Amino acid sequence: GAVVSQHPSWVICKSGTSVKIECRSLDFQATTMFWYRQFPKQSLMLMATSNEGSKATYEQGVEKDKFLINHASLTLSTLTVTSAHPEDSSFYICSARDYKGAGGANVLTFGAGSRLTVL
Amino acid sequence: AQTVTQSQPEMSVQEAETVTLSCTYDTSESDYYLFWYKQPPSRQMILVIRQEAYKQQNATENRFSVNFQKAAKSFSLKISDSQLGDAAMYFCAFIIQGAQKLVFGQGTRLTINP
């Protein structure tokens, strides 16, 4: 089945530095990927839709300059948290659709998530 | 706007018993898909079961089954013979046919008591 790999799974950084999180579709091509943020004991909040070869579409209230998304290939999307601050500490999850997979276009496969801690 | 509501923040059940998690949704569309995702302590989101809105027959996957009531916009998940490994957050979600975004409910934390 479709597999989405997310790396790193856990990152600790100093305030003011930038952190990059990678999301890869391992066995399928993903023209669209999605980035979510999840606070403790809460649901997933969609941050942006990452489109291969074009600009990401951000949800209302998400700072584009803070959360840079690049989708340079059909199998890789990256989320860069720029000038990170403690309030950016969270769990970030990516997902993608395997349009040709058995699950069909409407089934999302999720990465394992990345826990970001900003000191 | 499409919304999903899970009215039970927490549920608990004895091992081997049956538990039902509730979910209601709101949409004016007629063609959509419904899902239950499980998020165990590892936090990896796992698809449990899905239902196409155009299908009247309720989906089943081994011990997991749904009660899909389209007119009532209800989509509950029944877990039979609960196992310790079923302990997790469960999220109800749906997507409109042709749309990009998956809409999630708030989640229900399920505890299995041995």
Side-chain angles (χ1 to χ4, degrees), chain B residues 5-41:
Chain B
T5 302
Q6 293 178 248
S7 59
Q8 306 153 315
E10 297 184 353
M11 291 281 286
S12 64
V13 64
Q14 289 296 125
E15 191 176 4
E17 297 293 309
T18 296
V19 64
T20 299
L21 307 185
S22 301
C23 172
T24 58
Y25 58 94
D26 187 27
T27 180
S28 58
E29 301 290 333
S30 61
D31 194 5
Y32 50 87
Y33 299 79
L34 294 155
F35 307 90
W36 278 98
Y37 279 91
K38 168 185 177 181
Q39 188 180 40

Side-chain angles (χ1 to χ4, degrees), chain B residues 35-94:
Chain B
F35 307 90
W36 278 98
Y37 279 91
K38 168 185 177 181
Q39 188 180 40
S42 68
R43 304 192 76 170
Q44 169 74 62
M45 294 287 284
I46 301 166
L47 178 66
V48 174
I49 198 166
R50 65 172 177 170
Q51 173 82 42
E52 292 86 348
Y54 62 84
K55 290 186 177 179
Q56 292 187 339
Q57 187 173 6
N58 289 324
T60 62
E61 287 288 341
N62 300 313
R63 298 183 295 108
F64 299 86
S65 62
V66 298
N67 184 2
F68 174 46
Q69 301 291 327
K70 192 171 185 179
K73 296 181 182 177
S74 171
F75 183 61
S76 61
L77 174 70
K78 185 172 80 171
I79 306 175
S80 303
D81 185 26
S82 298
Q83 300 176 0
L84 295 178
D86 295 333
M89 280 288 286
Y90 285 82
F91 293 99
C92 179
F94 86 101

